[in-house]
Amino acid sequence: MDNQAFEELRENTPNVLEHRNIHVDTEIGLAATEASVQRRGYQGQVLSTVHELHNSAFDNNQKDQKSSDQPNTGSRFHVSAVSPGSGTENVQLGPAKIENNIVFDKETQLDTNRKSRIATFNSQERNRKMSRDVIPSIEHYRTNPLLQTTARRPTMHELCHQLSEEVSLQDFDETLAKGSENEAEDEKVTENVKFGWIEGVLIRNMMSIWGVMLFLRLSWVVAHAGIGETLVIIAISTFITLVTALSMSAISTNGEIGGGGTYFVMSRVLGPEFGGSIGIIFAIANAMDCSLNVVGFAQAVQDMMMEYGGYILFDGAYNDIRVIGTITMIFVCAICGLGAQYETKMKDIMFVIMLASLVNFLAGSIMGPSSELEEARGFIGYSMDLLAENWEPAYTVTSGQLQNFISVFSVYFPACIGILAGANVSGELKDPNTAIPKGTILAIIICSISYAGVAIICAATMARQATGNVMDLVNGTHLNCTSSVNGTDCRSGLYYDYQAMSLVSAFGPLNYVGCIAATISSALSDFVSCPALLEVIAADKLYPYWMVGFWGKRSGTSNQPYRAFGFTFVLALAFVLIAQLDMIALLISDFFLATFALMNFSTFHVSLIKPIGWRPTFKYYNTWLSLLTGILSITSMILISLPIAVITIAIVLFFYMVVLYRKPEVNWGSSTQAQTYRAALTSIQQLVHIEEHVKNYRPQILVLTGLPNTRPALVDFAYLICKNNSLMICGNIVEEKLKYETRLKLQQKAYRYLRFTHIKGFCAVADNSNLHTGVAAMLGLAGVGKVKPNILLMGYKNNWSTCDRKALDQYVLTIHTGFEMNVGVAILRLQEGLDCSQILADIDDLIVNKFPKDKSQNQQTNEWSVTSNTFGDYPTGVDTTVTSVTMLNDENKVEETDDLESPNDNEGRRTVVLGVTKSKKSKRSKKLAITYRDPEGNELPKSVMNKIIVFQKKQKKDTIDIWWLSDDGGLTLLLPVIINSRSNWSETKLRIFCTASGVHELEKEQKGMAVLLSKFRIDYSDLVIISDVDEAPKKKTKKWFDGVIRPFLQPGPNGAPPQVTEQHLEMFQYKTNRHLKLRELLLDHSSDSNLVVMTLPMPRNQSFNAPLYMAWLEALTANMPPFMLVRGNQTSVLTFYV
């Protein structure tokens, strides 16, 4: 090996205890260190410190230690590797050189996982002396927090940057402490009993499939459908269940699966909506199947009592079944409550009984009838003529209903639903990924063959109907049931005798015992499955606590989900009281077919999408076969019973909508997420090759908000335009260079705010750049293909007259950059400013914690929502050049009242409640209400809050004034039309102002504009043509402008030239006068409007004077209502063609 240090380490590693010295600061307690070394072998290692990697003294001291075995003081601390055979380790702490021999006397009690973790650490500990990298380990790839350990892989930042000694030592302390705590908790937890594939899956599935239908209904199916159609029914059922098992095997071998079995698999593939709904359906179906088997058990006991003694409890019919079934349910619940190991042991005993009863049935069929009574009841023995007679179907009326292929299929199908019994207890299996496919498929094959064999034997040995009278046998009329013979009716044979298998068996009582064993074992499996499903669904928190979570909570000394047991007991008992086997079978069939359909569809979906993580080790599945089986399952549901199918689908949709409405914060990497990405990627790729058309134009906005919660009004305004319409990106430009973690936290904070306020948008952060270079980078790189910004929206720079000249130049240059990038540019101005970071407290804590926990506070306000422009101690770098930092004034404080203004219609987005919120508000208002507060937690004055939420409120019946001064492609007209289409702006009217070249052109211009607007199909209230825009402004206006521009005409400090010269004013005198005249017109016409939109003046080149340009914008927007200056990129965004 090339690395000499590693060679020396190997040469000096003894087979017995190797004494090493650990020098640690006195902050590390001796007891904690001892416990950590003893229990974990220093599994929670930390990264190498810079001192260890780069200090030459460390290397020299390390060599000295190996040669002389003397205490080493050259490094901060050292951790020795424990060789596989070592028993103790010498630890020296601090300058006192205290030696503590720690004996691993419990090594024989450690499980394999802990040994492998220690071995992994030993190898990593050797590597850490050479590199910060760690070797690949399974612990680094666990995502389940319950299974995660303190071992972790270093972050990219830790690999790229040096870490100080203090940081490494602090991490070392923390990992030691955490390791000690975690191991102490591990010692308290007793490991549950785990089962292999035979005991846990194969036997469990076979016992569930060999249930009540095998002993009590298979002979009835043969009587009606004949052996031919019976084999078809078995084949169809086997096909559905086998393909479903293949689909489930593919999914279950695509990674580790936990408890919950079918629910866990389907929810992780299809997502929480479908997974949760089908999990509830499957839990209910298992409870129903339990009741089915209990009713079958009660019927078998009732028949046995009648057969061997003629005992009747009450009426010898349904009431007897109800009583026996209730007692049996109590017994089943008690057995399952003791634990899975008792239930499994009982199933093993019953499995042996089941095999004996089947062998007994086969032997009896070979032996033939043992008495005349058996022959009179229709048991003839093997006969080819009888087999031929029973080959064809012969459907009759049963319980008042004429049977057919579908009805008989619906009765038989519950025999196959036990294929998921093993998967439902996946949490109790040693290796569910291997056990579930192997055990399930083998169980289906064995049981299907056995069902077909039993059906053929019944058809070849039993007549469809017989009188059961020995005298008729003597007369040879025991099979003649067309007319009454000797005054008796037929009540034996395959049609009428549900205990036909007992009749054929060599020893009848053993068959009864086998039937009892089959039904009890299936009932136990189903009863165990339902609480397990409820517990896992409750743990995922997809549904409200009162709906599911309450039932899934564990309790008691044995830590069992007794509430789920109680729920299962009550639900199953309710179906037991029906006491009609065929009716319960009909209900169960649709529930399980729905489960099978979604199971197959999930496999089809994920294999069709083929996400990168789809690599199942089970390869024997087919995408289109899974789809076919899913369709076949749905079709079977409808054919069996349309009303029950509709009810089943309605229940699935109900629980689907509950999860969809609640939007639980779970991310399972489902195939629906993969499809969403794939569909989005495909659509974007298709858009790239489609030429843009004016009819499909959408305003896609890059809005410079900094952190979105610092400028809520600007975000709200941009969302007015983009909502359900187009792309919106909130841009945050930071001058400093950000670390990855800081950038990620800024983006997460921004997205949390957007999600909290139900704003659908994106966030982008550009660091290490000034304003205009950051904007240029965002406009060039943000988005993909045709989905990219075509409008740059900025806040007006209110402090332009007092800010630094460089910042002012950057702002104007940003406007010019937007035009150079061929996008439209819009500037929004509120007189009070847009930056609220100085008057609002931080909203992020509220968003993370959802709701305040202080009940006294909740009595006054539902929620408090605040914003900030800082993240912790790190400034976000929100530059004042992006929008203004002018603080909102609260000079005119308004007395707080209980009845303050509240918007009625916010486009379904959110409800804003001003001031004190009373408890009389609706639940929706209580949940969504946002009350802004200052940094001290006090409520803001009404006047201030009205300015913050100006674009959220329902607007009064006023006007939106559009000053369309030049043809920019129609963007100046289009944006206010979109805003006017929003519900909270729908009552405002559009007024359009245009200019004419002269008085003689006034009428012509007005007619032409009216025709154009009518072709654009724009509804407006007034059209005003202004002809005096080129006239000289008033002296009062000139004097006002002189006061604005004069400070820039003065020489700067240290002899610097003035920012605006007289030459500039003379050069642009015409434009200045035009803008001043427009100011006079604006004050006359639009000072009371809800919103003013005007064409943005064009900065011609980069050398244009920034203060003079901003003075023009000030002249247009000063002392006005909310004002937007906008200019398109000279490309048409409106058309009147179809």
Side-chain angles (χ1 to χ4, degrees):
M1 188 176 293
D2 295 335
N3 195 310
Q4 185 65 25
F6 191 79
E7 290 288 346
E8 293 179 1
L9 181 63
R10 292 190 58 187
E11 293 172 1
N12 291 276
T13 302
N15 293 327
V16 295
L17 172 66
E18 178 181 346
H19 297 277
R20 296 287 178 88
N21 298 324
I22 302 180
H23 299 278
V24 190
D25 285 348
T26 57
E27 290 82 5
I28 301 181
L30 176 60
T33 308
E34 290 179 354
S36 178
V37 175
Q38 181 178 0
R39 293 172 179 162
R40 304 188 66 85
Y42 289 106
Q43 178 198 355
Q45 74 277 12
V46 296
L47 298 173
S48 305
T49 63
V50 178
H51 182 80
E52 291 175 327
L53 289 171
H54 299 290
N55 194 333
S56 59
F58 170 77
D59 297 329
N60 296 332
N61 290 326
Q62 184 77 354
K63 294 179 181 179
D64 294 341
Q65 180 188 5
K66 294 176 181 178
S67 60
S68 61
D69 193 30
Q70 296 298 324
N72 187 348
T73 59
S75 65
R76 186 69 177 264
F77 65 89
H78 306 293
V79 180
S80 64
V82 182
S83 57
S86 61
T88 59
E89 181 175 350
N90 186 16
V91 181
Q92 294 186 358
L93 294 177
K97 309 295 187 297
I98 302 173
E99 294 187 1
N100 298 279
N101 293 328
I102 302 175
V103 181
F104 290 87
D105 55 349
K106 297 183 180 180
E107 181 175 347
T108 57
Q109 301 177 7
L110 298 177
D111 57 17
T112 305
N113 291 335
R114 291 178 58 187
K115 289 182 180 179
S116 62
R117 291 175 183 174
I118 295 175
T120 301
F121 164 74
N122 293 337
S123 178
Q124 291 177 349
E125 187 60 30
R126 297 187 185 101
N127 289 342
R128 70 188 292 274
K129 300 180 182 301
M130 299 172 290
S131 171
R132 290 191 181 95
D133 279 334
V134 295
I135 63 175
S137 171
I138 191 174
E139 305 298 335
H140 301 157
Y141 292 89
R142 295 192 185 278
T143 58
N144 189 343
L146 298 177
L147 300 177
Q148 286 179 338
T149 65
T150 54
R152 66 177 181 89
R153 114 174 27 94
T155 65
M156 183 58 66
H157 178 74
E158 291 170 341
L159 289 177
C160 294
H161 298 84
Q162 294 181 347
L163 299 177
S164 64
E165 289 182 291
E166 290 75 10
V167 173
S168 294
L169 187 57
Q170 181 180 1
D171 291 343
F172 179 74
D173 293 344
E174 292 177 355
T175 52
L176 287 179
K178 290 180 180 178
S180 177
E181 294 174 0
N182 294 339
E183 192 63 27
E185 294 177 359
D186 293 341
E187 291 181 355
K188 298 179 182 178
V189 178
T190 58
E191 186 177 0
N192 294 329
V193 178
K194 300 291 185 179
F195 306 110
W197 72 274
I198 295 178
E199 189 178 17
V201 180
L202 178 63
I203 295 179
R204 186 180 295 272
N205 283 353
M206 290 177 65
M207 292 297 291
S208 298
I209 298 173
W210 282 343
V212 62
M213 294 302 166
L214 176 63
F215 290 92
L216 299 182
R217 287 296 182 271
L218 184 58
S219 58
W220 179 87
V221 170
V222 173
H224 286 83
I227 189 60
E229 292 190 3
T230 297
L231 294 177
V232 173
I233 291 174
I234 295 175
I236 294 175
S237 302
T238 302
F239 176 79
I240 294 175
T241 54
L242 185 59
V243 176
T244 302
L246 296 177
S247 300
M248 181 179 62
S249 300
I251 298 176
S252 62
T253 58
N254 192 50
E256 290 187 1
I257 62 175
T262 305
Y263 159 74
F264 184 90
V265 168
M266 297 182 66
S267 61
R268 270 54 179 179
V269 174
L270 289 179
E273 294 86 3
F274 271 118
S277 58
I278 205 61
I280 297 293
I281 288 292
F282 195 48
I284 297 173
N286 274 280
M288 295 172 62
D289 191 43
C290 177
S291 65
L292 175 75
N293 285 280
V294 169
V295 170
F297 168 84
Q299 185 174 333
V301 171
Q302 183 187 42
D303 292 342
M304 187 171 62
M305 291 169 60
M306 291 291 295
E307 180 76 16
Y308 301 101
Y311 297 105
I312 297 176
L313 295 179
F314 293 98
D315 58 357
Y318 293 145
N319 287 331
D320 286 7
I321 293 177
R322 292 186 179 104
V323 172
I324 299 173
T326 302
I327 297 173
T328 307
M329 278 302 309
I330 296 174
F331 171 76
V332 169
C333 183
I335 292 296
C336 295
L338 293 176
Q341 64 272 21
Y342 296 99
E343 178 261 345
T344 303
K345 290 178 181 178
M346 192 169 182
K347 287 179 69 69
D348 294 340
I349 297 173
M350 293 183 176
F351 181 70
V352 176
I353 298 175
M354 277 284 299
L355 292 179
S357 64
L358 289 177
V359 172
N360 180 46
F361 170 75
L362 180 61
S365 68
I366 296 174
M367 294 168 57
S370 60
S371 65
E372 292 182 349
L373 179 60
E374 290 184 357
E375 189 173 355
R377 293 175 61 182
F379 179 31
I380 300 174
Y382 285 102
S383 170
M384 293 303 297
D385 294 335
L386 185 60
L387 181 63
E389 180 184 346
N390 289 337
W391 181 267
E392 297 296 329
Y395 297 105
T396 62
V397 176
T398 303
S399 299
Q401 178 184 359
L402 178 62
Q403 302 298 323
N404 54 44
F405 181 86
I406 299 299
S407 63
V408 173
F409 173 80
S410 67
V411 172
Y412 171 81
F413 186 77
C416 303
I417 60 181
I419 65 168
L420 301 177
N424 290 338
V425 291
S426 57
E428 308 294 334
L429 302 176
K430 294 178 182 178
D431 185 9
N433 299 78
T434 304
I436 291 176
K438 189 186 301 183
T440 304
I441 295 174
L442 188 57
I444 293 174
I445 295 174
I446 294 175
C447 292
S448 296
I449 294 175
S450 64
Y451 267 95
V454 171
I456 293 173
I457 291 174
C458 288
T461 59
M462 283 281 295
R464 276 194 168 102
Q465 51 189 355
T467 63
N469 193 324
V470 177
M471 295 299 297
D472 293 336
L473 176 63
V474 175
N475 298 331
T477 59
H478 66 290
L479 301 179
N480 185 9
C481 292
T482 57
S483 62
S484 296
V485 179
N486 299 327
T488 60
D489 295 329
C490 288
R491 54 181 179 271
S492 298
L494 295 177
Y495 274 134
Y496 311 106
D497 191 356
Y498 292 141
Q499 295 293 343
M501 286 188 65
S502 298
L503 180 63
V504 176
S505 299
F507 182 64
L510 181 57
N511 189 268
Y512 279 107
V513 175
C515 179
I516 292 173
T519 53
I520 287 295
S521 63
S522 298
L524 288 171
S525 296
D526 295 322
F527 197 94
V528 168
S529 300
C530 185
L533 286 168
L534 290 175
E535 185 180 5
V536 176
I537 297 172
D540 287 336
K541 298 180 180 179
L542 302 182
Y543 298 98
Y545 178 78
W546 61 267
M547 184 180 291
V548 178
F550 174 80
W551 307 108
K553 187 176 181 180
R554 287 178 174 261
S555 58
T557 55
S558 59
N559 195 28
Q560 293 289 339
Y562 291 117
R563 295 178 181 177
F565 284 144
F567 173 82
T568 305
F569 173 79
V570 173
L571 183 61
L573 184 61
F575 287 100
V576 167
L577 296 179
I578 296 176
Q580 297 185 35
L581 197 65
D582 295 344
M583 182 179 295
I584 300 174
L586 182 65
L587 296 172
I588 288 177
S589 296
D590 273 12
F591 276 72
F592 275 96
L593 282 169
T595 304
F596 293 167
L598 282 178
M599 176 67 74
N600 284 284
F601 177 74
S602 62
T603 304
F604 162 75
H605 191 260
V606 70
S607 59
L608 183 67
I609 299 301
K610 284 186 172 60
I612 302 300
W614 176 246
R615 295 185 299 275
T617 58
F618 185 86
K619 304 296 184 182
Y620 304 102
Y621 72 96
N622 183 273
T623 303
W624 303 106
L625 199 58
S626 297
L627 176 62
L628 175 63
T629 307
I631 296 174
L632 182 61
S633 300
I634 297 295
T635 305
S636 301
M637 285 178 58
I638 298 173
L639 292 177
I640 289 174
S641 175
L642 181 59
I644 297 178
V646 172
I647 293 173
T648 304
I649 296 173
I651 295 175
V652 172
L653 291 178
F654 170 75
F655 286 102
Y656 176 90
M657 295 304 297
V658 171
V659 179
L660 187 66
Y661 175 78
R662 295 188 76 240
K663 293 182 175 61
E665 296 182 0
V666 294
N667 184 10
W668 294 330
S670 63
S671 61
T672 54
Q673 294 177 349
Q675 183 183 14
T676 301
Y677 174 83
R678 183 175 180 178
L681 182 61
T682 302
S683 300
I684 291 174
Q685 290 172 340
Q686 291 175 350
L687 282 175
V688 170
H689 305 290
I690 298 176
E691 186 177 354
E692 293 182 355
H693 195 281
V694 62
K695 290 194 296 184
N696 294 323
Y697 173 82
R698 295 178 182 272
Q700 303 180 116
I701 298 179
L702 170 63
V703 51
L704 303 183
T705 59
L707 278 174
N709 52 350
T710 62
R711 295 170 177 83
L714 185 59
V715 177
D716 291 335
F717 183 79
Y719 195 57
L720 274 178
I721 300 172
C722 298
K723 181 179 180 182
N724 300 327
N725 194 32
S726 57
L727 173 72
M728 185 183 83
I729 301 177
C730 296
N732 185 7
I733 299 173
V734 184
E735 291 187 352
E736 294 82 2
K737 184 177 180 180
L738 301 179
K739 298 178 182 178
Y740 169 77
E741 291 80 4
T742 307
R743 175 195 294 272
L744 180 62
K745 289 177 180 178
L746 288 176
Q747 288 182 320
Q748 290 176 343
K749 185 174 183 179
Y751 277 115
R752 280 196 297 269
Y753 174 80
L754 294 183
R755 183 177 182 182
F756 182 74
T757 53
H758 301 279
I759 294 177
K760 298 176 182 178
F762 300 90
C763 301
V765 178
D767 65 330
N768 199 25
S769 59
N770 55 33
L771 182 62
H772 86 276
T773 56
V775 168
M778 284 189 175
L779 289 175
L781 300 176
V784 56
K786 298 293 178 65
V787 185
K788 60 183 180 180
N790 52 26
I791 297 176
L792 173 64
L793 176 60
M794 309 167 59
Y796 183 77
K797 190 171 181 61
N798 282 23
N799 66 336
W800 69 272
S801 60
T802 58
C803 70
D804 180 65
R805 172 62 189 272
K806 182 178 180 181
L808 181 60
D809 289 342
Q810 288 285 330
Y811 183 82
V812 177
L813 188 57
T814 301
I815 300 174
H816 191 272
T817 300
F819 290 127
E820 279 191 333
M821 300 290 290
N822 196 37
V823 300
V825 177
I827 301 174
L828 177 66
R829 178 173 187 180
L830 298 181
Q831 297 304 314
E832 300 80 6
L834 293 167
D835 191 345
C836 303
S837 58
Q838 302 300 320
I839 64 167
L840 298 179
D842 194 350
I843 191 177
D844 200 54
D845 293 337
L846 170 66
I847 298 175
V848 172
N849 298 325
K850 297 296 181 184
F851 303 103
K853 297 182 179 179
D854 186 2
K855 293 183 179 179
S856 61
Q857 182 180 359
N858 284 340
Q859 291 176 357
Q860 292 184 347
T861 60
N862 296 326
E863 297 178 20
W864 59 279
S865 172
V866 288
T867 59
S868 173
N869 68 337
T870 59
F871 186 85
D873 296 328
Y874 185 86
T876 63
V878 179
D879 201 324
T880 56
T881 60
V882 180
T883 55
S884 81
V885 294
T886 304
M887 293 181 58
L888 297 178
N889 263 325
D890 58 351
E891 298 174 343
N892 303 322
K893 292 196 174 183
V894 180
E895 182 180 356
E896 297 176 354
T897 61
D898 290 341
D899 299 322
L900 295 180
E901 182 179 351
S902 174
N904 300 326
D905 191 351
N906 272 327
E907 194 79 359
R909 178 159 68 89
R910 62 190 189 277
T911 303
V912 178
V913 180
L914 308 179
V916 180
T917 304
K918 283 201 165 186
S919 60
K920 295 181 180 179
K921 295 289 181 181
S922 64
K923 292 182 179 180
R924 178 175 176 82
S925 299
K926 288 181 180 180
K927 183 178 179 181
L928 302 178
I930 301 175
T931 302
Y932 292 99
R933 293 176 177 267
D934 64 17
E936 287 74 28
N938 302 318
E939 293 184 3
L940 294 173
K942 178 181 177 181
S943 59
V944 176
M945 288 191 293
N946 283 339
K947 299 300 181 182
I948 296 175
I949 62 170
V950 59
F951 298 113
Q952 300 178 21
K953 299 188 304 179
K954 183 74 175 179
Q955 299 296 314
K956 298 178 181 179
K957 295 182 179 180
D958 215 320
T959 61
I960 298 177
D961 287 354
I962 306 171
W963 292 73
W964 196 8
L965 303 181
S966 59
D967 192 353
D968 60 347
L971 188 64
T972 305
L973 183 62
L974 177 62
L975 295 187
V977 168
I978 295 175
I979 294 173
N980 183 241
S981 66
R982 304 303 181 187
S983 59
N984 52 343
W985 287 76
S986 59
E987 294 186 4
T988 58
K989 303 297 183 181
L990 296 180
R991 292 196 305 176
I992 301 176
F993 296 82
C994 298
T995 60
S997 55
V999 178
H1000 59 283
E1001 299 288 340
L1002 185 61
E1003 184 176 355
K1004 181 179 178 181
E1005 291 285 348
Q1006 186 171 12
K1007 290 182 179 179
M1009 183 58 65
V1011 171
L1012 181 61
L1013 293 175
S1014 64
K1015 286 183 175 293
F1016 285 153
R1017 304 167 306 283
I1018 294 177
D1019 186 17
Y1020 60 93
S1021 61
D1022 294 299
L1023 175 60
V1024 181
I1025 305 297
I1026 300 175
S1027 59
D1028 55 350
V1029 69
D1030 293 329
E1031 295 181 1
K1034 299 177 182 178
K1035 291 183 179 180
K1036 180 180 178 181
T1037 307
K1038 289 183 177 180
K1039 183 178 179 181
W1040 174 88
F1041 182 78
D1042 184 67
V1044 172
I1045 201 66
R1046 181 163 299 279
F1048 297 95
L1049 295 172
Q1050 305 300 325
N1054 301 324
Q1059 300 183 38
V1060 179
T1061 63
E1062 295 293 340
Q1063 289 79 7
H1064 284 117
L1065 293 178
E1066 292 179 3
M1067 184 183 306
F1068 299 103
Q1069 185 63 48
Y1070 171 77
K1071 288 191 174 183
T1072 300
N1073 290 338
R1074 179 181 174 87
H1075 291 122
L1076 293 179
K1077 185 61 180 180
L1078 285 173
R1079 172 175 175 78
E1080 295 176 355
L1081 296 171
L1082 284 166
L1083 291 174
D1084 291 340
H1085 295 280
S1086 301
S1087 58
D1088 296 327
S1089 300
N1090 288 12
L1091 176 67
V1092 181
V1093 180
M1094 176 177 277
T1095 304
L1096 175 68
M1098 184 73 183
R1100 296 298 177 185
N1101 51 60
Q1102 295 185 9
S1103 61
F1104 186 75
N1105 189 271
L1108 181 58
Y1109 182 76
M1110 290 303 299
W1112 291 351
L1113 301 188
E1114 183 72 17
L1116 296 174
T1117 61
N1119 304 319
M1120 293 294 293
F1123 204 111
M1124 179 175 66
L1125 294 165
V1126 58
R1127 177 180 286 270
N1129 62 351
Q1130 303 303 116
T1131 302
S1132 296
V1133 298
L1134 293 169
T1135 182
F1136 44 78
Y1137 292 107
V1138 177

